[in-house]
Every structure is written in structure tokens, then in C-alpha cells.
Amino acid sequence: MTQPQIFSPSTPARPLATTAALASLRVCYASGSAANALDALLAQTDVLAVVGFGDSAPATHGDARYLHVALQPVGAAAFEVWRAQGTVTTARAGELRWASDGDYAFGVIELDEARHGDIDGAAATAYRSLVAWLAASPTPHVLRIWNYLDAINLGNGDAERYRRFCSGRAAGLTPGFVDAYPAATAIGVRDGRRVLQMYWLAARSAGTALENPRQVSAWRYPREYGPHAPNFARAMRAPTPMAQVYISGTAAIVGHRSHHREDVGAQIDETLTNIDSLLAAAHIEPGARFGANCLLKVYVRRDADIAAARAQLAARLPADTPLLLLRGDICRSELLIEIDGIQGV
Ligand code: 3EB
């Protein structure tokens, strides 16, 4: 019963799940473009994951803990670094790879859409693989997922690639998840590669999914947004003694409608009000919200909006809030910005 689990798609589910509290994952942004900056990070044995953004970050590395994402940062090259407590080991199985210290796992799957039919097929395969991996893993609880895909807004109506991604995700998650979803982000890259990238944070203990009183739960969006509603929670509180909250991609959506078309400043304002409301729902005191312990990623659709976005962020946030601005496309074409992050690092 207590043998370590080794992943294979045919391993029956027997996770060593627990309700024990875990130490908080430590997460930070680091700059530095050269390969030797990455090597220096990966030489640190407590590093669970490094995500490198944009053209000046290395495109690949032999270490399974590294993932390159094609979103271009505004300004200096950027890495996001996750640090764990125990000894980190890595493994690969097919198109899936992961690193874990026993409490947390960083997992990645990258799928060539053409080999899986299309974006729907790739998403279904990715999520089916994730469900199978979780079932066989000592870290069976997925807290947080990031999804990056090319040309997210291409296609009209229900043929839009984001909506088709949602359909594939819904197919792949069934029946593993029913109205109990992880926090998530889904953002468009513009690299023309048509490779679905998905990475996740899983844990030995379950977190607590949170919804936002200002927003309709995404999985209950009405039909007008697509045939399959997006399967994610607005946030996930980690199973840690200190409040640590993984904030899903959040935009200027109130109820289920997009607000403030063509006004990036007002969209940022509404988005930060949404995040504030979410942190209130997580019982984070007003004085503890945002600031130095809250890492935010701000995805900006149009370069012309960057200056206005920066100004509005500066007006609304404590000056010491770590921000990473990335150029990317948001899943509804009228949305100009989206923000995700982690409160309590
Ligand atoms: C929204 O609130 C904006 O499909 O996984 C945000 C976070 C959004 C995650 C996803 C989509 C996703 O609906 C879009």
C-alpha cells in the first residue's frame, strides 16, 4: 500500500493523498536572458520549476524543470521560479514531464495540434493525460493550470480556437472532475507553432477552490460563450497554514459579460476590483492584499495599450507589487488585458 507510485497510463489510481498542511511553495520573478542565468537557477537544488518567457529566454533546456513560453515580456527577459522544500526529482513519460519534491509537482505537456487532429483533439488528449497522471501520482490534487495556445481568437463564433479548446478540455476532464476545477489561465501566444502548452502545479493535499461573488462561475457561463463552458475555478487556496491563493486569469468580466470595450484603463480597474473581491472571498484582510507578497502577471493584447496599462496598475497597486507584463491574446476578442497571480508567496 505504501509503495511509491510510478506513472504509467495503466497504473490503477492509488494516490498517497493526505489532508496534511504543506509548506508554501515559494515563487518569484527573476530577470536575466542568457543561458548561463538559467543554468545558475537550475543548479539550485530547491528549484522545482523555471518558466522562461519570450525570445531572449532559452527555447529549450535538457532539464525537465524548464519550460519556455513564447509570450514576449515587456522589458527585460523574465523567468518565473518555483522553489520547493525537499529534494526535487524529475521524470518523463511520453509527451509529459514533471518535477516533484513529494509535496508539490510541476507538470508539463506540450502537444503538436496536427498530431491530435486539431486544437480540440490536442486539448482533450492533454486533459485526459493530466487526469491519468493525477490518478497515479503521489501529488494527485491539481491546484493550478496554465494553458497557452497559438491564435486563440482565430475562427468565428463556435469555431473560434478558444471555444474549441474549451470543448476539448471538457471532453478530457470528464469524468475526473465535476464542478470541482483547479484555478487556470488560458492565453494566446503568437508564435504560429500550433503547439498546445499546458503546465500545472499539483500537490499532495487538496486545496480549496474559490469563486468570485462579482462573477458567474466560468463553468456556468451561458451558451452564448460557446458550446462547452470553461472548466476552471476563479482561484485556489493552497493547503498551506499561511494563506496562499492562486488567482486564475481575471479580466473585466462582471456577471458573465465583458465590460469597458476599448478602454484598457477601465478594464484594468475592473479586473483589479475582481481580484480584490476574490481575495476578500479568500479571507485575506484588505491591508494584506497585493503588495510585495503578491506576484501578478499582466497579459496585454495591444502594444499601444502598454503605457496606459502601466499607469493604471501604478495608480491602483502598491508600488512594491511584483509585476510581469506579457504580450498575449485574451480569450474573448473584446478583452484587452487579463491578470493572474499568486497572493501570499
Ligand atoms: C474569464 O474570466 C476570462 O479558459 O482556462 C480566464 C482564466 C479565462 C482561465 C480558461 C479563461 C480561462 O472567462 C478568460
Side-chain angles (χ1 to χ4, degrees), residues 69-72 147-154 160-162 185-192 194 249 251 267 298-303 305 326-340:
V69 170
L71 297 167
Q72 300 297 344
N147 306 277
Y148 294 121
L149 55 145
D150 189 44
I152 196 169
N153 299 127
L154 186 68
E160 186 186 36
R161 279 168 51 80
Y162 171 66
T185 293
I187 287 287
V189 299
R190 304 159 183 165
D191 64 355
R194 297 293 203 275
Q267 287 196 17
V298 183
Y299 304 91
V300 184
R301 181 187 291 278
R302 306 188 299 209
D303 279 7
D305 289 333
L326 297 167
R327 299 170 164 93
D329 294 329
I330 322 306
C331 61
R332 294 185 190 178
S333 52
E334 69 276 14
L335 293 172
L336 302 175
I337 64 106
E338 184 170 305
I339 301 176
D340 70 22

Side-chain angles (χ1 to χ4, degrees), residues 78-110:
F79 295 115
E80 177 172 322
V81 185
W82 297 3
R83 287 189 170 82
Q85 307 291 327
T87 305
V88 174
T89 59
T90 64
R92 295 176 190 266
E95 287 158 309
L96 210 149
R97 67 181 194 266
W98 67 99
S100 180
D101 75 334
D103 281 351
Y104 292 104
F106 165 68
V108 179
I109 187 163
E110 297 180 282

Side-chain angles (χ1 to χ4, degrees), residues 165-330:
F165 161 80
C166 287
S167 294
R169 170 171 54 186
L173 279 178
T174 308
F177 291 74
V178 179
D179 291 4
Y181 303 111
T185 293
I187 287 287
V189 299
R190 304 159 183 165
D191 64 355
R193 278 178 68 229
R194 297 293 203 275
V195 171
L196 171 64
Q197 279 188 314
M198 180 169 107
Y199 69 100
W200 64 88
L201 172 68
R204 192 159 63 90
S205 304
T208 307
L210 301 169
E211 291 302 308
N212 191 333
R214 300 186 83 234
Q215 299 187 299
V216 171
S217 293
W219 73 87
R220 294 194 173 123
Y221 280 170
R223 173 66 181 84
E224 65 189 278
Y225 301 102
H228 293 91
N231 302 125
F232 68 96
R234 296 293 178 190
M236 181 69 75
R237 193 203 184 287
T240 52
M242 293 256 295
Q244 184 169 51
V245 179
Y246 292 85
I247 302 161
S248 288
T250 306
I253 295 173
V254 182
H256 57 76
R257 293 199 188 286
S258 305
H259 284 234
H260 316 296
R261 263 165 206 267
E262 293 298 321
D263 185 341
V264 74
Q267 287 196 17
I268 287 190
D269 214 42
E270 198 73 70
T271 300
L272 291 174
T273 299
N274 275 334
I275 294 176
D276 194 67
S277 157
L278 197 51
L279 295 176
H283 305 293
I284 309 277
E285 292 302 316
R289 298 176 202 159
F290 304 108
N293 300 322
C294 183
L295 295 187
L296 297 178
K297 276 195 205 99
V298 183
Y299 304 91
V300 184
R301 181 187 291 278
R302 306 188 299 209
D303 279 7
D305 289 333
I306 289 171
R310 275 202 186 286
Q312 192 61 31
L313 291 163
R316 279 285 307 256
L317 292 171
D320 57 355
T321 309
L323 295 177
L324 175 54
L325 271 68
L326 297 167
R327 299 170 164 93
D329 294 329
I330 322 306

